[in-house]
Amino acid sequence: MADTNEASAIVKRLVDALSPGSYVVVNDGANTNQAGVEAAEVRGEAGDPYTLRSPEQIARFLDGLQLVEPGVVSTPRWRPDPDDEPVDLGVFCGVAQKV
């Protein structure tokens, strides 16, 4: 949880420095599939830790901002090509505007 608190504080500092009307994009690894969780564990054991977050934790980085549709979703689903069926990945993103 400490890493998420630090990440939230960093996002807040960045947002505070933006002018109203600016957009913020968050794209982060999620703990939504077992293979990704296991890979993060191996990475951490190798000395390069990475904190995977739930989609809800990722969405909280954008609290207080006006979320752009479709919200915080698996990255390929954010603005998918209408001719392709997007595949869910263990990475989520969202775009929001500072109002």
Side-chain angles (χ1 to χ4, degrees):
M1 186 56 116
D3 179 75
T4 297
N5 291 339
E6 182 179 357
S8 293
I10 291 168
V11 172
K12 182 180 178 342
R13 280 196 310 273
L14 292 170
V15 170
D16 287 348
L18 295 174
S19 301
S22 298
Y23 287 86
V24 176
V25 177
V26 171
N27 189 69
D28 200 4
N31 60 3
T32 56
N33 68 58
Q34 190 59 35
V37 170
E38 291 171 6
E41 289 171 1
V42 169
R43 181 177 173 171
E45 291 168 3
D48 187 21
Y50 186 81
T51 301
L52 296 176
R53 297 179 174 82
S54 70
E56 295 78 20
Q57 288 172 312
I58 296 169
R60 281 197 292 273
F61 289 134
L62 301 172
D63 281 354
L65 303 171
Q66 186 173 4
L67 198 57
V68 175
E69 288 297 325
V72 177
V73 295
S74 181
T75 302
R77 293 190 178 276
W78 203 82
R79 293 278 195 222
D81 184 326
D83 296 330
D84 295 331
E85 178 62 30
V87 176
D88 287 330
L89 298 177
V91 180
F92 277 65
C93 73
V95 177
Q97 185 177 31
K98 182 176 180 179
V99 289

